Amino acid sequence: MKRLWRFGFKVNWHIGGEKNMKTYIITGASKGLGKAIAELCLQEGNHCIFVARSANEQLIDKARSQGLKVSSILADLGDSGQLPEIVDSIFSKIGDTDELLLINNAGVVEPIKPVGQLEQNKLEDSIKVNFLAPIMLSNAFIDRTRGFPGKKTIVNVSSGAALRPYQGWAAYCSTKAGLEMFTRVTAAEQDQEQYPVTIISFSPGIMDTNMQADIRQADEKDFAHAEIFHAYKEQGRLRSPELVAEKLMALLQDGPLENGRFYDIKNLL
């Protein structure tokens, strides 16, 4: 066992042994894609650390009743002042492990408004949740695991909006595009490290989640593609979070991953 002391607390890394013990850190884990990923992680018997504004008590109770290790951190990633405390809380809960994965899943689509009508408070929340929080969590993950020789992976849940513009989605497209470039730069840097972190973008496509419901509620004068998204729901074209989670987990397990790559669900089906 290798012991790493940092920032006033001890983190234990365990390398080797019969079972490959993984630790997953999942943001936005209480619902949607985050919840679906969490359920699969727990099925494998891994340690899961959930970071979300609300706890999914049913999932947590089920995991603990089966003797599985689960930690839950209640946090609002839109409150940037909480981030240092969130980071400390996450790393205080990591025990013996062979592999570490950070899945930056939490995200917001609002504000859905054309430029010139963006509300500052909603714009700031978009920047903090979609861009600042995953950057700061990734930064801390890389810093605090620098001496860990085991496998380390960061998944930034992205979107096709990171690569192309949608009218009314200036905030969402811009924050996702910024996170995409952050992923690429970080990958290039990590290729030079002794114990590198693999970092990728993963686009889940259109899913039947609360975010899609928010999109359908947008005023058509604010979002030029509103009718298209209504059609996705009416025609049954929205993928289930469970299917998307299965494809992501298969991607992570099958490997090897190309560092810095943008993985699109459409190419994994």
Side-chain angles (χ1 to χ4, degrees):
M1 180 184 296
K2 181 173 182 176
R3 299 185 185 275
L4 175 67
W5 295 79
R6 276 190 182 221
F7 303 104
F9 60 84
K10 177 179 67 178
V11 177
N12 297 327
W13 311 122
H14 172 266
I15 305 299
E18 295 182 0
K19 186 180 184 303
N20 184 40
M21 176 58 68
K22 302 176 184 178
T23 300
Y24 286 83
I25 305 161
I26 308 167
T27 68
S30 62
K31 56 188 178 182
L33 179 59
K35 174 177 175 287
I37 295 171
E39 289 174 333
L40 291 179
C41 295
L42 288 169
Q43 285 178 17
E44 296 178 353
N46 299 303
H47 177 202
C48 294
I49 302 173
F50 304 153
V51 182
R53 285 182 296 181
S54 60
N56 188 317
E57 297 293 351
Q58 183 178 5
L59 179 60
I60 293 170
D61 290 344
K62 180 181 177 181
R64 288 176 176 165
S65 69
Q66 297 174 353
L68 301 175
K69 189 175 182 182
V70 59
S71 305
S72 180
I73 300 171
L74 296 182
D76 179 4
L77 295 178
D79 182 356
S80 56
Q82 287 189 30
L83 287 174
E85 182 180 345
I86 293 169
V87 167
D88 284 346
S89 183
I90 288 171
F91 281 88
S92 70
K93 297 181 185 304
I94 297 176
D96 297 348
T97 193
D98 297 281
E99 184 174 342
L100 285 164
L101 301 97
L102 168 63
I103 302 180
N104 285 312
N105 165 71
V108 295
V109 70
E110 294 181 338
I112 303 177
K113 291 280 187 182
V115 175
Q117 300 178 34
L118 297 171
E119 300 173 42
Q120 181 171 330
N121 61 331
K122 291 185 178 180
L123 181 58
E124 289 178 351
D125 192 53
S126 174
I127 293 170
K128 290 174 182 177
V129 175
N130 294 341
F131 187 58
L132 180 61
I135 283 180
M136 295 306 296
L137 292 176
S138 298
N139 181 67
F141 182 91
I142 289 171
D143 177 41
R144 299 197 185 200
T145 67
R146 199 177 301 277
F148 174 56
K151 188 176 180 180
K152 300 176 287 187
T153 307
I154 297 174
V155 178
N156 287 325
V157 174
S158 188
S159 166
L163 307 179
R164 55 185 176 271
Y166 288 87
Q167 295 178 37
W169 277 8
Y172 189 65
C173 290
S174 299
T175 52
K176 288 298 185 182
L179 187 60
E180 172 63 18
M181 184 53 69
F182 172 82
T183 300
R184 296 181 190 182
V185 172
T186 304
E189 293 174 347
Q190 285 299 301
D191 285 341
Q192 311 302 315
E193 293 293 323
Q194 181 181 9
Y195 303 124
V197 173
T198 297
I199 181 169
I200 64 168
S201 296
F202 173 73
S203 176
I206 50 173
M207 291 183 294
D208 197 4
T209 62
N210 289 344
M211 181 178 286
Q212 282 291 323
D214 291 339
I215 294 170
R216 292 193 299 273
Q217 291 174 5
D219 195 311
E220 291 187 11
K221 73 177 188 302
D222 295 328
F223 183 45
H225 302 276
E227 186 176 335
I228 296 174
F229 281 81
H230 279 282
Y232 287 151
K233 179 66 172 179
E234 293 165 1
Q235 297 169 8
R237 296 173 59 190
L238 298 177
R239 300 183 187 96
S240 71
E242 290 74 22
L243 171 64
V244 176
E246 288 175 6
K247 296 302 179 182
L248 173 59
M249 293 296 285
L251 174 68
L252 294 175
Q253 292 170 358
D254 292 346
L257 299 171
E258 181 182 338
N259 212 358
R261 180 173 171 179
F262 181 96
Y263 287 88
D264 194 319
I265 185 70
K266 292 193 294 291
N267 299 322
L268 303 175
L269 297 173

